Amino acid sequence: MKRSIRAVSSLVLALSIAPFLPLYVGRTMTHVMFAHGTGTIESGWKRCTLIQFKSVHHYMHPEQDPALWLAVNVALWVTYALLIASVLDRFLARAWKPEVNAGTKV
């Protein structure tokens, strides 16, 4: 029972930490104006946190396919959280492991 509680608590902690990692994919579109009055629209990629992606998600145009990128970023969020939780669970298991003294008689 202790192991499952430890695993669930580490997963909850990891799910709350993972959105703040700057490892999510964001699409950018910028309008570049030239001196003679014409301009171009350039698109690109940027690394951002999940919070930053969600704040500009409403302003994405349909040609940027916002639903796909939201799904990709949610999948990345869960993957990062599972990786963090597994590392945290192993660390906690090692830290809470009872020490056995080799030279004592029981």
Side-chain angles (χ1 to χ4, degrees):
M1 185 67 175
K2 283 185 175 183
R3 184 169 189 258
S4 63
I5 291 173
R6 187 180 66 228
V8 169
S9 64
S10 63
L11 181 62
V12 168
L13 181 66
L15 283 171
S16 64
I17 292 172
F20 299 106
L21 296 175
L23 299 174
Y24 298 95
V25 179
R27 290 289 310 258
T28 61
M29 288 186 83
T30 56
H31 187 249
V32 179
M33 292 295 293
F34 296 119
H36 50 78
T38 62
T40 61
I41 296 176
E42 296 179 357
S43 62
W45 302 93
K46 68 175 182 174
R47 280 189 348 214
C48 61
T49 64
L50 192 59
I51 307 300
Q52 291 170 343
F53 176 80
K54 186 65 178 141
S55 68
V56 298
H57 177 72
H58 302 292
Y59 302 109
M60 291 179 76
H61 298 289
E63 61 267 8
Q64 289 178 301
D65 206 7
L68 171 71
W69 293 112
L70 182 63
V72 166
N73 283 333
V74 168
L76 285 172
W77 173 49
V78 172
T79 304
Y80 295 149
L82 288 173
L83 287 172
I84 292 169
S86 66
V87 169
L88 187 60
D89 187 45
R90 286 186 183 185
F91 176 74
L92 290 176
R94 193 173 288 180
W96 289 347
K97 188 176 181 179
E99 294 182 20
V100 177
N101 295 331
T104 61
K105 294 182 180 178
V106 180

